[in-house]
Amino acid sequence: VLVVAVASQCSVSSGINAEYGYHLSHPEGKTSNGADIAQNKKLEDLFDSLDVDESGFIDEEEIIKLTEKLGEKMSIEEVRELIGQVDKDGDGRVNKDEFKRLMSAK
């Protein structure tokens, strides 16, 4: 759901478009761990645009506002379940690394 919401935020119909591409598979510009530098920067920029309060996390309130903006209404329970699927450190928020892992999943 978060990926769909993010994709919609970026005005894309299937996946994330070239501006915010999420498959990190370019042969040039690799970091030592294989991530494409330009794509990584785009994911970080996308995360920053969704992190409205600039806290370094995407939280419940930001997801609710995003989905409402997209014409969807999610309950707090649905948002918490969604975050729980992505939140690897268990803090109840989506940090930049968790977001990049989610968006890079194939």
Side-chain angles (χ1 to χ4, degrees):
V1 174
L2 183 58
V3 172
V4 172
V6 170
S8 299
Q9 174 72 10
C10 298
S11 303
V12 233
S13 57
S14 69
I16 305 297
N17 68 6
E19 182 180 358
Y20 290 107
Y22 66 91
H23 294 293
L24 305 178
S25 58
H26 262 293
E28 302 94 73
K30 302 285 184 188
T31 61
S32 60
N33 67 0
D36 177 83
I37 295 168
Q39 294 297 341
N40 190 51
K41 173 71 171 117
K42 289 177 184 178
L43 285 174
E44 289 184 4
D45 290 346
L46 178 56
F47 177 90
D48 292 342
S49 74
L50 298 171
D51 178 21
V52 178
D53 64 3
E54 300 179 355
S55 65
F57 301 94
I58 299 173
D59 59 26
E60 295 170 355
E61 184 178 326
E62 289 164 327
I63 293 173
I64 288 172
K65 286 180 181 178
L66 172 62
T67 57
E68 286 175 351
K69 184 178 178 181
L70 298 171
E72 298 292 325
K73 178 72 174 149
M74 291 181 74
S75 70
I76 192 68
E77 293 81 17
E78 291 171 317
V79 171
R80 286 179 181 155
E81 182 179 334
L82 174 65
I83 289 173
Q85 294 172 8
V86 179
D87 179 22
K88 298 299 180 193
D89 62 10
D91 67 355
R93 306 173 293 184
V94 179
N95 66 38
K96 198 171 282 190
D97 288 336
E98 293 164 339
F99 178 79
K100 288 191 292 188
R101 270 195 303 275
L102 169 70
M103 298 303 290
S104 298
K106 295 188 182 204

